[in-house]
Amino acid sequence: MNGVATISVINSKPTAAIIADKLREGIIEGAFAPGDQINEAQVAGQLNVSRGPVREALHRLVQEGLLLARPNRGVFVQDLTRRDVAEIYASREVIECAAAEIILRGDRDLRSATAERLHAIVDRMQAAIESDDWTALGRIDLEFHTLLVGDAGNSRLVRAYATLATEALMCLTHFPGAYPRPERVLPAHREIADYVRDGDMEVLQRTLHRHLSLTSIDHGPDDGRALVHPRAEAGGDA
Amino acid sequence: MNGVATISVINSKPTAAIIADKLREGIIEGAFAPGDQINEAQVAGQLNVSRGPVREALHRLVQEGLLLARPNRGVFVQDLTRRDVAEIYASREVIECAAAEIILRGDRDLRSATAERLHAIVDRMQAAIESDDWTALGRIDLEFHTLLVGDAGNSRLVRAYATLATEALMCLTHFPGAYPRPERVLPAHREIADYVRDGDMEVLQRTLHRHLSLTSIDHGPDDGRALVHPRAEAGGDA
DNA sequence: TGCTTGTGGATTGTTGACAATCAGAAGGTG
DNA sequence: CACCTTCTGATTGTCAACAATCCACAAGCA
C-alpha cells in the first residue's frame, strides 16, 4: 500500500449507470420537459458514447417510471398528472408509515440513533433554507424520508421507496408551489424525528399522514391531463 | 371492423421482454438454482438471438431483484435467505393492507365487484387443489393478491407488488413446505374476499396479517445463508 | 370533399465483432 | 514454504453497421 492507495477508482460504475444517473438528474432538474422525446443517438452523441449503454440507461429509467417507452417510437418523459402526484404521495405514505412501525417496534437505543440522524438532516435542511437553496432543500427533505425508510432495514421497501423519491423530486421541480412554506418544513420534520425517538406510533402516523397528504390534488377531479402549475391548490410537502 | 378484427398481434412484445419473461419463468420454476450463474452468450445461443436483447432482459431481472449482477463477472440467481423471505412477506403485507384500506374507503358497489372477482379466483384455486396442481395453485394464489392490490387503482403500488409477487413465487418453489395445507387456503381467501365486500377494515387487516406472517422465519436467527428446505419451520402462505 | 393507400424519413430493435476487465492458476523468488 | 508477480481463460462491456417498424404526409380514387 503506497501513496496512491486512495486514488479514486477510475471507472467504478458501468457506463450505463453513469448515463442513467445523468439523465435522471436532467429529468429531475427539469432539463427535459414532460412529454419530450429523448433520442438515443442524440444522447449518445452528446456524451461521446455508443448507443448501447444509452439504450440500457433509458430502459432502466423506463422501468423506474420516469420515462415512457412507446415500442418502435422512442422514449418520452412521463407526464405528471394529478393522479400520478396523488399516487406518488399516497404510496410514500404507505411505505413510510410501514417503516415507522417497524422502527418503533425496535429497540429504544436504535430508535434514538435513528432520531439523531434524522435531526442531523433537519439541521442541513435549515442550512439550505438559510441560503435560499430550494433545490437542495428538496433533496435533503427526501434524504430525510429515505433515511427513515432505510432504517427499517427492509431492502424491498427501500427499493420501492427509491423510485417514489425520485418521482417526488420530479414533482417538486415541476410543481414548485407544492412545497410548503419553509417555516413549516423544519418543525414538521423535527416532530417526526421526535416521535420516532419517543415511540408514539399513533401520533407519528397521523403526522406522517398530514405531512404527505395533498388534499386538494387528492380529491380534485382527475382530467388525465398533466398539471402545469397548480401553485394555488397544492398543499403538501416533499 | 371485419372478421379479422380479432387476429392476435403478430409480435407485440419486443424480444427482450419475451426473453425476460422466459427467464423469469425459469427462475420461478427452479430451472436455475440460487447461486447459479446465467451466461449471456449461452442463453443467446439457446434462444437463437443475439446477446443484445438477452443482456437487456438480464438487466431487467437484476433490477427486479431476481438476479444479482457482479460487475465484469456475470449475473447470478439470487440466494433467498431467511431475511429475504421475511422481507418479502412483510412488504407484501404492507402493500396489501394499504390496498385493502384504499378499496374499503371506496364505493360499496366497487367493493362488491372486487369481492366477486376475488371469489372467482378462489374457485379456480379450488379446481387447482382438486387436480393436485400445486404450481398452478401458487400462481392463482398470487393472482388473488395481485387483483386485490390492482383494484386499489394505484399503479405505483401495483408495480412494487409485482416484483414482490414473483419473489414470493420463487419462495414457494424453493421452500415448498412454506405453503400451508390446502384445506386452510380456501377458507382464508374466502374470508378475505368477504371482508372486502363487507368493508370491515379491522378484521381484514388482522386476517391479512395472519395470512402473510411467517412467524418462525420472521423471528428466527438470520445467519445470512440461504435456506434449503425449512419445511419444519415455515407457516405462511403465498 | 373525404377516405383509402402508397411512400419517405426517422427512430428503435438487432446483430456480430472487438476491447476491457476480473478471478484464479501457474510460475518464479526470497 | 509462503508470498508476490505474471499469465490465461472466460465473461461482460462497448461499438458501429444493418434491418424492421412506425408515423406523417401526400397522391389517387370514389
Side-chain angles (χ1 to χ4, degrees):
Chain A
M1 287 301 167
N2 46 27
V4 265
T6 51
I7 278 187
S8 67
V9 183
I10 302 294
N11 208 355
S12 65
K13 281 187 179 178
T15 318
I18 300 175
I19 299 173
D21 290 344
K22 269 190 178 338
L23 288 174
R24 196 183 294 110
E25 274 308 304
I27 295 169
I28 290 176
E29 298 285 347
F32 304 96
D36 275 3
Q37 180 167 15
I38 297 187
N39 188 304
E40 283 184 12
Q42 190 176 326
V43 174
Q46 286 177 2
L47 298 181
N48 269 354
V49 291
S50 168
R51 268 182 52 213
V54 174
R55 180 182 174 76
E56 197 173 316
L58 288 177
H59 277 283
R60 182 175 303 199
L61 296 182
V62 167
Q63 211 165 2
E64 285 180 20
L66 289 178
L67 301 179
L68 171 70
R70 289 201 284 163
N72 287 311
R73 282 302 291 168
V75 298
F76 302 81
V77 180
Q78 276 278 25
D79 280 337
L80 279 180
T81 64
R82 293 169 188 276
R83 185 190 181 88
D84 288 312
V85 179
E87 278 195 5
I88 292 166
Y89 279 79
S91 304
R92 284 186 57 194
E93 184 183 333
V94 167
I95 292 186
E96 289 193 37
C97 282
E101 202 168 330
I102 294 174
I103 292 175
L104 260 56
R105 269 204 300 265
D107 188 280
R108 208 206 124 85
D109 291 340
L110 286 176
R111 295 208 314 268
S112 297
T114 297
E116 203 168 316
R117 268 178 291 178
L118 289 175
H119 273 300
I121 294 183
V122 177
D123 291 341
R124 287 171 49 212
M125 289 176 68
Q126 183 159 26
I129 290 179
E130 284 165 2
S131 50
D132 272 340
D133 190 343
W134 304 104
T135 307
L137 179 58
R139 275 163 206 276
I140 302 174
D141 189 326
L142 261 305
E143 209 177 302
F144 177 96
H145 294 275
T146 301
L147 173 64
L148 182 70
V149 175
D151 272 20
N154 185 322
S155 66
R156 268 81 184 173
L157 291 182
V158 169
R159 195 175 1 162
Y161 194 82
T163 81
L164 292 173
T166 52
E167 287 185 299
L169 275 178
M170 211 172 147
C171 291
L172 286 190
T173 58
H174 288 301
F175 316 135
Y179 205 77
R181 282 161 301 160
E183 61 266 27
R184 291 189 53 189
V185 174
L186 290 178
H189 286 87
R190 288 222 170 86
E191 256 185 273
I192 294 174
D194 286 338
Y195 294 144
V196 165
R197 187 194 52 213
D198 300 341
D200 190 340
M201 190 61 214
E202 194 81 15
V203 179
L204 177 52
Q205 212 148 38
R206 262 208 308 277
T207 308
L208 281 172
H209 175 71
R210 198 176 52 237
H211 189 67
L212 290 172
S213 60
L214 298 157
T215 48
S216 47
I217 287 184
D218 208 353
H219 300 112
D222 175 20
D223 52 11
R225 271 175 288 135
L227 293 170
V228 183
H229 264 168
R231 185 179 285 274
E233 56 188 5
D237 186 1
Chain B
M1 287 298 171
N2 47 25
V4 265
T6 52
I7 278 185
S8 67
V9 184
I10 301 293
N11 205 358
S12 64
K13 281 185 179 179
T15 320
I18 299 175
I19 299 173
D21 290 344
K22 268 190 181 332
L23 288 174
R24 198 183 292 111
E25 275 308 304
I27 295 169
I28 291 176
E29 298 284 348
F32 304 96
D36 275 4
Q37 180 168 14
I38 297 186
N39 188 302
E40 283 183 14
Q42 191 175 328
V43 174
Q46 285 178 4
L47 297 180
N48 269 355
V49 292
S50 170
R51 267 183 54 214
V54 174
R55 180 183 174 75
E56 196 173 316
L58 288 177
H59 277 284
R60 183 176 302 198
L61 295 182
V62 166
Q63 210 164 5
E64 285 180 20
L66 289 177
L67 301 178
L68 171 70
R70 290 202 284 163
N72 287 310
R73 282 301 291 167
V75 298
F76 303 82
V77 180
Q78 276 278 24
D79 279 337
L80 279 180
T81 64
R82 295 167 187 277
R83 186 191 180 85
D84 287 313
V85 179
E87 277 194 5
I88 293 166
Y89 279 79
S91 304
R92 284 186 57 195
E93 185 183 331
V94 167
I95 292 184
E96 289 194 36
C97 283
E101 202 168 330
I102 294 174
I103 292 176
L104 260 59
R105 268 204 299 264
D107 189 278
R108 207 205 123 85
D109 291 340
L110 286 176
R111 294 207 314 266
S112 298
T114 298
E116 204 166 316
R117 270 177 291 178
L118 290 175
H119 273 300
I121 294 183
V122 177
D123 292 341
R124 287 170 50 211
M125 290 176 68
Q126 184 159 25
I129 290 178
E130 283 165 4
S131 50
D132 273 339
D133 190 343
W134 304 106
T135 306
L137 179 57
R139 274 163 207 277
I140 302 174
D141 189 326
L142 262 304
E143 209 178 302
F144 178 96
H145 293 275
T146 301
L147 173 64
L148 182 70
V149 174
D151 272 21
N154 185 321
S155 67
R156 268 79 184 176
L157 292 182
V158 169
R159 195 175 4 164
Y161 193 82
T163 81
L164 292 173
T166 54
E167 287 187 298
L169 275 177
M170 211 171 148
C171 291
L172 286 188
T173 59
H174 288 313
F175 315 136
Y179 205 77
R181 283 161 302 162
E183 62 266 26
R184 291 188 53 190
V185 174
L186 290 179
H189 287 87
R190 288 222 170 86
E191 257 184 90
I192 293 173
D194 286 338
Y195 294 144
V196 166
R197 187 195 51 213
D198 300 342
D200 191 339
M201 190 60 215
E202 194 81 17
V203 179
L204 177 52
Q205 212 149 38
R206 264 208 307 278
T207 309
L208 281 173
H209 175 70
R210 199 175 52 237
H211 188 67
L212 290 172
S213 60
L214 296 159
T215 48
S216 46
I217 288 184
D218 209 352
H219 300 112
D222 176 21
D223 52 10
R225 273 175 287 137
L227 292 170
V228 183
H229 264 168
R231 184 180 286 272
E233 55 188 7
D237 186 0

